[in-house]
DNA sequence: CTGTTAGCGCATTCAG
DNA sequence: CTGAATGCGCTAACAG
């Protein structure tokens, strides 16, 4: 067995509680004893057992992260969104001494039970959910369990009861579409992935809104959902076979963006000469892409950072008003778009 | 407070120890009582406190993951290698009921203290280290602490004392180089990132070996290390200003691969017409790249999966022979190379 | 300023 | 097959 608080106490000729107080640097302990105890701890190689502390404190200083799953495994972790968000969460958690635990499940059901285990098992003090989607069981469970949590994305149900961090996706998509409209595009397509995620719905809405403002009516043929990379080919085919193919596309993920880029080339067309492309989420990928993709910077890292700030605040002050945070997103013009009017 | 084993015991008219036995499905309990107790657990909404269990069992069923850090933050998580490895680890851990905790630190020092906290704090039963590098303090610490762990990559020191999972990077780089030699390239460059990582050293060695077999002597001008994306430009400049610029490149990361691709285009050159490129680590990125990059499939997911298998085996059978695992890597010819002899 | 006492929730002897 | 007793390592009153 490892050396415990008792061993230290004995060796230092003090009581265990004194040692405990030294550990938490209580100000009710004289500097002299602190020094003495710390020396003994050093000598004995003492280290606190966080498990035991967790048990008595009813807190583990750990945040659980519910990963976004998708039908298509590959798109999950590889999607740079997840990586960047976690970076942001990590950074803030580290500043506050919190550890991070992540779900390991791959299906919706597995992830749900991971969450139950973390929460009911008292492994975490709070949770961050990396997605918002319809008919999801995780958020209702967390509400029921009354554990601090923050959703990244816009919750679908019971929105007033949950704290969330999100971009204004409606606005962002509206901006992106308006950006293309300003460049005299009138036939603009929209490509999203899984429409059951709220984020896709919001972006679609923003896209429609921008068109509406220009008096352009909804055209379902210009809206497609790609659930796996293979579909990209078909979708582009369909677009191009239209009597009036789109001259520009708004695409809801960077990976899809580069995918579509490639398909366009396959068709012997060029970006931005033949088709302009604006994608959601500026990431390293959009930067290394050729051409660089004109992308909407959703400040993913910041999203994670703020989410972490949120949970930790909720943990410390449970009665905090659940003020949700909107992270601004703005378009960064790069090389994948052009104006139709080459004045 | 949540409902505990005692509450269940009381409600079911049994002793706490009986409830405990029902939880672990002990075969010393009659089916009748099991049923009865389970019913009560259900009604009361009982869930085990894993913290308490951890304390008494001296095991948390949690694996810690030590993330690879790099000077350049962005390259860390975004690097798909990490994502894929974690997917593999996740999958296996989930199968065995293990949770995953990740380090949150960004600098070497922070990560080290994260590790100490996890291990000494008894938060984890085992560890997986996602890198192997010189003068690293983590591995020695882990050895000292005598906790089960597996390194992904080839350990630098005390290699016989640690279990590791790795590709044969020497062989893989040799194959990659030989592949280019077979295509009649004679001036082959090598680009790696941080040379303090063992993996880079190994690949460099393999590269040299292949050249040697063809009687081509080492040329330092053909070997460059890129520590951040900006350097790519300079390095390519240097390569191209040589009297005999390389006609092919072996590159040690997919992100660097696409980066270099882009720089080559900037110079008005084309891949594979002017320069052939072979990169390490087939990932989604190499697939969506234009052209698709001829890449070495290092089976990253499998690397993680095997590492997890390793730790969990070590946890269950501490005296397991530390048999290390080599995951085969093979080159997947795509579109970024060509033969110099167009017969 | 420090020691004593009493658990946190669970698993595991040892009896019966 | 089940119950009573004990302790995992730590913290938090409550005394002094």
């Amino acid at each position: 067995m490892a050396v415990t608080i008792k061993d230290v106490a004995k060796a230092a000729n003090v009581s265990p509680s004194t040692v405990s107080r030294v550990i938490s640097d209580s100000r009710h302990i004289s500097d002299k004893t602190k020094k003495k105890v710390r020396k003994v701890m050093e000598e004995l190689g003492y280290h606190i057992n966080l498990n035991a502390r967790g048990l008595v404190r009813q807190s583990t200083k750990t945040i659980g992260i519910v990963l976004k799953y998708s039908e298509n495994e590959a798109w999950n972790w590889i999607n740079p969104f997840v990586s960047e968000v976690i970076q942001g969460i990590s950074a803030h958690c580290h500043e506050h001494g919190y550890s991070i635990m992540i779900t390991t499940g791959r299906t919706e059901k597995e992830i749900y039970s991971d969450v139950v285990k973390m929460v009911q098992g008292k492994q975490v003090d709070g949770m961050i959910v990396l997605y918002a989607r319809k008919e999801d069981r995780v958020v209702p469970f967390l509400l029921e369990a009354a554990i601090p949590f923050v959703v990244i994305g816009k919750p679908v149900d019971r929105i007033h009861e949950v704290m969330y961090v999100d971009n204004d996706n409606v606005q962002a998509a509206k901006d992106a579409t308006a950006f293309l409209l300003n460049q005299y595009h009138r036939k603009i397509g929209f490509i999203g992935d899984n429409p059951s995620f709220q984020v896709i719905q919001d972006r679609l809405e923003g896209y429609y809104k921008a068109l509406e403002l220009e008096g352009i009516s909804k055209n379902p043929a210009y809206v497609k959902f790609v659930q796996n990379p293979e579909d990209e080919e078909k979708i582009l085919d369909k677009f191009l076979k239209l009597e009036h193919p789109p001259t520009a596309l708004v695409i809801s993920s960077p990976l899809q963006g580069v995918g579509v880029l490639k398909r366009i080339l396959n068709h012997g067309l060029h970006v931005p000469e033949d088709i302009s492309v604006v994608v959601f989420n500026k990431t390293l990928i959009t930067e290394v892409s050729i051409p660089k993709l004109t992308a909407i910077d959703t400040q993913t890292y910041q999203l994670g950072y703020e989410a972490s700030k949120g949970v930790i605040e909720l943990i410390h002050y449970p009665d905090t008003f659940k003020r949700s945070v909107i992270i601004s997103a703005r378009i960064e013009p790069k090389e994948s778009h052009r104006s139709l009017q080459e004045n």
Side-chain angles (χ1 to χ4, degrees), chain A:
Chain A
M1 257 6 28
V3 26
T4 79
I5 220 172
K6 280 185 188 166
D7 303 320
V8 176
K10 209 163 288 173
N13 273 317
V14 293
S15 76
S17 44
T18 300
V19 179
S20 174
R21 286 180 185 114
V22 173
I23 292 168
S24 31
D25 201 19
S26 158
R27 57 197 152 68
H28 302 299
I29 297 283
S30 72
D31 282 356
K32 215 181 84 189
T33 25
K34 273 188 189 172
K35 229 161 257 169
K36 182 176 68 180
V37 172
R38 288 202 179 111
K39 186 157 164 277
V40 175
M41 297 200 315
E42 182 81 13
E43 289 168 2
L44 267 52
Y46 169 81
H47 196 286
I48 194 166
N49 181 324
L50 292 170
N51 235 322
R53 165 182 280 184
L55 181 57
V56 53
R57 284 215 182 149
Q58 312 272 34
S59 149
T60 54
K61 293 274 264 178
T62 300
I63 301 294
I65 298 182
V66 188
L67 296 179
K68 179 180 170 186
Y69 82 92
S70 56
E71 288 66 28
N72 186 322
E73 257 191 38
W75 285 61
N76 199 3
W77 268 93
I78 290 173
N79 187 328
F81 169 80
V82 174
S83 310
E84 284 186 35
V85 172
I86 293 188
Q87 283 231 47
I89 299 174
S90 272
H92 185 265
C93 278
H94 195 271
E95 290 166 17
H96 294 263
Y98 278 80
S99 303
I100 289 180
M101 194 167 248
I102 59 179
T103 54
T104 58
R106 315 208 106 29
T107 66
E108 185 172 14
K109 188 179 264 174
E110 283 180 358
I111 290 177
Y112 179 76
S113 67
D114 283 347
V115 172
V116 172
K117 183 175 161 192
M118 281 188 197
V119 173
Q120 305 285 40
K122 303 276 183 292
Q123 298 195 102
V124 299
D125 294 349
M127 283 264 153
I128 295 175
V129 183
L130 289 208
Y131 61 84
R133 67 181 301 167
K134 282 185 203 160
E135 287 162 29
D136 174 60
R137 296 158 66 206
V138 170
V139 167
F141 167 78
L142 294 174
L143 280 168
E144 198 61 35
I147 185 172
F149 74 99
V150 171
V151 172
I152 294 186
K154 193 166 155 213
V156 185
D157 307 312
R158 307 171 74 174
I159 191 164
H160 301 296
E161 303 170 58
V162 334
M163 175 160 173
Y164 65 92
V165 177
D166 197 12
N167 303 114
D168 185 342
N169 278 300
V170 177
Q171 184 65 44
K174 200 173 144 193
D175 290 349
T177 310
F179 174 83
L180 291 168
L181 288 165
N182 277 336
Q183 309 226 331
Y184 307 99
H185 289 275
R186 284 299 170 272
K187 299 181 290 286
I188 302 174
F190 179 94
I191 300 179
D193 48 25
N194 190 333
S196 80
F197 285 108
Q198 183 63 34
V199 53
I200 301 300
Q201 295 296 340
D202 285 352
R203 289 175 183 170
L204 184 58
E205 186 186 332
Y207 158 81
Y208 279 140
K209 274 196 179 167
L211 293 181
E212 202 178 331
L213 284 179
E214 288 290 314
I216 301 175
S217 58
K218 292 187 185 184
N219 182 348
Y222 283 174
V223 173
K224 298 289 179 201
F225 301 105
V226 181
Q227 306 249 7
N228 67 64
E230 287 71 39
D231 293 345
E232 280 161 4
E233 194 63 49
K234 297 182 211 150
I235 282 173
L236 214 60
D237 265 350
K238 284 187 188 156
F239 274 161
L240 298 179
K241 278 182 186 151
L242 292 174
E243 194 179 353
H244 299 292
T247 60
L249 298 174
V250 174
I251 302 174
S252 75
S253 107
L255 235 39
Q256 255 173 17
V258 289
V260 168
L261 209 63
K262 158 164 247 153
R263 310 298 182 170
I264 291 175
L265 277 181
N266 286 349
H267 282 264
L269 301 175
H270 294 276
V271 173
E273 291 77 4
D274 302 302
I275 299 188
S276 288
V277 166
V278 175
V279 309
F280 264 88
N281 294 33
K282 179 198 170 197
T283 65
L284 219 56
I285 289 187
T286 60
E287 293 294 293
V288 298
S289 156
I290 305 170
K292 283 188 187 175
L293 294 178
T294 291
I296 294 147
D297 185 355
T298 51
Q299 308 202 64
T300 318
Y301 178 95
Q302 207 56 30
L303 237 37
Y305 194 89
E306 290 294 331
S308 177
K309 251 167 101 169
V311 236
I312 292 179
E313 194 176 338
L314 284 176
I315 290 168
H316 292 348
Y317 312 102
D319 298 324
T320 306
F321 176 61
K322 293 192 174 47
R323 187 174 45 78
S324 293
V325 178
I326 301 299
I327 304 284
S328 69
R330 63 173 168 287
I331 192 161
E332 298 213 346
K334 291 288 160 91
E335 306 161 358
S336 65
H337 68 277
R338 72 174 189 104
S339 172
L340 286 189
Q341 198 156 315
E342 314 256 16
N343 52 341

